[in-house]
Amino acid sequence: MKHTEDELIAAAAEVRERAYAPYSNFKVGAAVETEDGKIYTGCNVESASDGLTVCGERVAIWKGISRGETKFSRVAVVVDTEELTPPCGVCRQIIWEFCGDVPVILSNLHGKSETVQMSELLPRAFDSKFLK
């Protein structure tokens, strides 16, 4: 069963509340939807050693991968900012690697949202075709 955009945003907003962000106080929630309609969520988890921090988008994708999912159809990212905030560069690469050119829904806690294609966020992406 496919979910509405609002349902995907709600799942990301809900998991955002569980983010562990004591250093930046920048909480992120993400949700990925599989082609058959399952939703996997993730939130950012910070570490005192900043390089060990993990973003919500990667947590959500890796949860799906760990459950055997390989085909994702959409991603939603929710943050508490006025300006809609796209995924960081590392997450853009991971989204491209595991989801491809999917729609990415950017949303905030003020009801604003915008959908952009992954290819807009990461033009000329590096992927496995270059490794052959």
Side-chain angles (χ1 to χ4, degrees), residues 24-36:
S24 71
N25 201 34
F26 186 76
K27 295 181 177 185
V28 178
V32 295
E33 184 178 33
T34 64
E35 287 185 355
D36 62 355

Side-chain angles (χ1 to χ4, degrees), residues 61-126:
I61 291 167
W62 291 336
K63 281 171 68 175
I65 296 290
S66 72
R67 295 290 180 119
E69 302 294 347
T70 59
K71 297 186 186 302
F72 300 99
S73 60
R74 289 189 297 177
V75 177
V77 181
V78 175
V79 296
D80 187 16
T81 56
E82 287 298 322
E83 186 175 347
L84 296 175
T85 305
C88 74
V90 172
C91 286
R92 291 176 196 207
Q93 178 63 37
I94 294 299
I95 293 167
W96 186 268
E97 180 96 14
F98 292 100
C99 305
D101 191 17
V102 296
V104 179
I105 304 161
L106 309 176
S107 186
N108 65 18
L109 298 182
H110 310 289
K112 186 177 176 185
S113 67
E114 175 187 4
T115 302
V116 296
Q117 279 301 121
M118 194 56 225
S119 57
E120 292 176 62
L121 294 173
L122 190 63
R124 298 184 68 182
F126 178 85

